[in-house]
Structures are given as C-alpha cells and as structure tokens.
Amino acid sequence: SGSGTIPGNSSSDIVVNSTTGLTGGLRFTPGFSTINSLTVNTASGSNVMLGTDMTTNGMITLTNGELRLNGRTLTIAPTGNISAAGSGSITGSSTSGLVVNSASGLAGNIRFTPGSNMLGNLTINTGSGTSAAINDDLTIHGTLTLGNGSLDLNGRDLTLAATSSLSNTGTGNIW
C-alpha cells in the first residue's frame, strides 16, 4: 500500500463496490477527512478499512461486507445518518471510536461484526427525543459519553469493561 491520501470534502461521495474489499485503508488528507456519504458493498467477510479518522455529513450505507474502523474514529455529523437497508456491519476494536452527532437520530441500527462488537469510545449526542440504536451486544473499553438523545440498546447487552468510564454531559440516557 502506498502513501497517497484522499482530499475529502463535504460533497464527496465514496462508493466501494468490490468482490474482495480494499487492500489498503481509506486515508484522508489532514484537514480534509469529511465526506458526504459512504457506501460499502463488498463480499461477505471483505472489508473497507479506515486509515485515518473520518466524518460523514450524509448517509452511511452498509450494503454488504464490513467497515473496519481499524483503531480510528468514525464521526456521524449532525446531518449524517446510517441507512436501515443492507446487511453490512462495523468492525470495531478496543481502540476504535464512534461519535454519533446526528441531530435527527439514526434511521438504521448500528450493526457490529460478530466478534468485533467493541469500541474504545462511544459518544451519543443526537437531538432531543431521538436515538441511536445498536443491533448487537456491545462492549466499551474507554469512555461512553452521553450528550443528548438516547442510546437504544434494542434488547442487547451493553458492557462497560473494567477500563471504561461513563460521562453524562447532557440529558442523554440509555434505554
């Protein structure tokens, strides 16, 4: 893999349609890591890996395959969302982060790859009366930050590891 970067901008859409996934990570030019939308449509077991932190202002569509956070942070901006369509998942780790700032909450549940349903840090800061729902059990190894809105467990288990902490910076709650 080379050292090239992607100069993202808020109107950039990235669509990965691949039968094998990508061999390198999505690396963004420093200061240009915000995109509009991301679609991952790879073969089952194949992935698209982040090489740097990334922010999406629009829709994340996980049609098939995995979005591997790879120790990076994925931020869903106030205008961002996750599509309810598809069967793809997010592959987390104890050093990965997810920040949900979606003002309207999320349309789709956050689906995690079996065996990789963990995050270092999770921030929920959706609009009042809105939520972000998980579709799988989840373990937090760093900080769970509740701003506004709700983390909907959707009948799943949330585990705070021995190294984790909880920060409530607003009116957010877990249900």
Side-chain angles (χ1 to χ4, degrees):
S1 62
S3 61
T5 60
I6 300 168
N9 66 56
S10 59
S11 61
S12 299
D13 297 318
I14 296 178
V15 178
V16 179
N17 283 314
S18 172
T19 58
T20 60
L22 299 179
T23 56
L26 294 176
R27 290 190 307 263
F28 292 91
T29 306
F32 296 92
S33 61
T34 298
I35 63 170
N36 181 48
S37 67
L38 173 67
T39 299
V40 174
N41 186 21
T42 64
S44 294
S46 297
N47 70 75
V48 172
M49 180 172 58
L50 294 185
T52 58
D53 295 345
M54 182 179 75
T55 299
T56 59
N57 285 335
M59 188 64 71
I60 298 173
T61 304
L62 302 173
T63 306
N64 199 32
E66 303 169 16
L67 174 58
R68 188 174 299 266
L69 298 183
N70 191 35
R72 308 298 181 182
T73 298
L74 172 63
T75 300
I76 301 171
T79 56
N81 210 331
I82 290 183
S83 173
S87 61
S89 60
I90 293 175
T91 301
S93 71
S94 62
T95 59
S96 299
L98 178 61
V99 177
V100 181
N101 284 330
S102 181
S104 300
L106 298 179
N109 293 346
I110 303 168
R111 297 181 302 270
F112 289 95
T113 306
S116 297
N117 49 333
M118 65 188 86
L119 292 169
N121 299 310
L122 173 62
T123 299
I124 302 296
N125 192 32
T126 62
S128 180
T130 66
S131 68
I134 59 174
N135 204 55
D136 303 281
D137 295 344
L138 178 62
T139 299
I140 304 296
H141 290 271
T143 303
L144 171 59
T145 303
L146 299 173
N148 294 312
S150 299
L151 173 59
D152 181 354
L153 297 182
N154 197 27
R156 307 300 180 174
D157 291 332
L158 174 66
T159 302
L160 298 178
T163 57
S164 67
S165 64
L166 176 64
S167 174
N168 195 331
T169 61
T171 60
N173 59 60
I174 300 172
W175 53 278

